């Protein structure tokens, strides 16, 4: 898809966007349970509206990024997705925290290749700078690991992706956006069978 054929704009999510977000999540996360329920979406917007952003094309949501602020010392590097995000309700949001935590980023598969994920990450970086936070932290899946689990450890897989010997759609994307792997978490997202 060519970007010139679109009318793309970045903005904060609103309650009226739930239908588009639900449809998009059901498509992107069909094997991981699909969309959050509307009550979680409402809580996310209530707890930290500035951290919930999207890209729309002619009024339709085609990409999203969700985040919250945490006092990272309360969680440290050994946490699960549900612990740090309050089971995606963002009840752990702390406006006095020091770290922007990336809850989720997803792009409509029909719009991949237009660098929308990069635009969302740049918006997150701007938010982090504007709020004078010390860092952005995010957990990430390694879905292609399932193809290599019988021959290498997760650590070896991460190193092979870092050296560009292997490609992983999520880890490669995060590395290309300046993230560094600091920890491999077991059971971070238990329903993610691909990442083991």
């Amino acid at each position: 898809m060519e970007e010139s054929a679109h009318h793309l704009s970045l903005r904060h999510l609103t309650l009226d966007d739930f239908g588009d977000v639900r449809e998009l999540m059901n498509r992107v996360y069909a094997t991981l349970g699909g969309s959050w329920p509307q009550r979680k979406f409402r809580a996310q917007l209530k707890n930290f509206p500035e951290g919930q952003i999207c890209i729309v094309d002619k009024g339709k949501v085609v990409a999203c990024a969700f985040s919250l602020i945490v006092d990272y010392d309360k969680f440290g590097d050994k946490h699960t997705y549900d612990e740090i995000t309050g089971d995606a309700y963002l009840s752990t949001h702390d406006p006095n925290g020091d770290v922007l935590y990336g809850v989720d980023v997803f792009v409509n598969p029909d719009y991949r290749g237009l660098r929308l994920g990069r635009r969302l990450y740049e918006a997150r970086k701007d938010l982090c700078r504007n709020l004078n936070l010390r860092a952005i932290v995010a957990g990430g899946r390694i879905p292609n690991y399932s193809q290599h689990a019988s021959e290498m450890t997760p650590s070896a897989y991460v190193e092979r992706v870092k050296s560009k010997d292997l490609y992983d759609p999520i880890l490669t994307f995060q590395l290309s956006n300046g993230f560094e792997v600091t920890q491999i978490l077991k059971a971070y997202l238990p329903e993610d069978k691909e990442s083991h």
Side-chain angles (χ1 to χ4, degrees):
M1 241 181 218
E2 294 181 32
E3 188 167 2
S4 61
H6 303 289
H7 295 92
L8 302 170
S9 60
L10 186 134
R11 64 168 172 80
H12 290 102
L13 283 158
T14 69
L15 289 174
D16 292 338
D17 293 319
F18 180 69
D20 285 351
V21 172
R22 178 180 55 216
E23 179 183 326
L24 185 54
M25 288 186 82
N26 282 336
R27 183 170 179 200
V28 171
Y29 295 129
T31 61
L32 291 173
S35 175
W36 290 311
Q38 189 170 21
R39 67 185 179 276
K40 284 189 182 183
F41 184 73
R42 285 182 180 278
Q44 293 161 347
L45 296 185
K46 180 180 179 235
N47 287 325
F48 186 39
E50 303 88 351
Q52 317 326 317
I53 56 178
C54 66
I55 295 175
V56 296
D57 183 15
K58 300 173 191 161
K60 185 164 180 69
V61 176
V62 296
C64 296
F66 293 81
S67 58
L68 73 152
I69 299 170
V70 294
D71 177 350
Y72 201 71
D73 287 342
K74 289 182 181 176
F75 297 96
D77 287 337
K78 302 272 189 197
H79 59 266
T80 68
Y81 179 87
D82 285 345
E83 287 169 346
I84 201 159
T85 68
D87 192 24
Y89 283 95
L90 309 193
S91 57
T92 53
H93 174 68
D94 180 352
N96 298 313
D98 59 342
V99 166
L100 187 71
Y101 194 86
V103 174
D104 207 342
V105 172
F106 49 91
V107 175
N108 182 323
D110 297 336
Y111 287 75
R112 293 195 178 141
L114 297 179
R115 303 173 64 85
L116 301 188
R118 185 171 294 275
R119 285 174 69 176
L120 291 169
Y121 270 54
E122 289 303 319
R124 271 187 179 164
K125 290 174 188 176
D126 289 343
L127 179 62
C128 187
R129 281 188 288 271
N130 292 340
L131 295 175
N132 200 30
L133 301 173
R134 73 175 173 90
I136 299 175
V137 175
R141 299 174 53 234
I142 48 174
N144 282 4
Y145 178 63
S146 61
Q147 300 165 19
H148 304 277
S150 64
E151 61 201 50
M152 66 182 76
T153 65
S155 296
Y157 176 80
V158 167
E159 290 305 314
R160 297 276 308 273
V161 173
K162 285 168 66 174
S163 67
K164 300 183 180 175
D165 293 330
L166 292 173
Y167 170 80
D168 185 273
I170 294 175
L171 182 56
T172 299
F173 173 72
Q174 289 177 325
L175 293 170
S176 71
N177 278 283
F179 281 82
E180 297 175 16
V181 177
T182 60
Q183 184 80 228
I184 292 178
L185 300 171
K186 291 185 183 259
Y188 174 74
L189 194 61
E191 61 271 25
D192 177 17
K193 303 302 181 206
E194 295 171 316
S195 299
H196 289 243

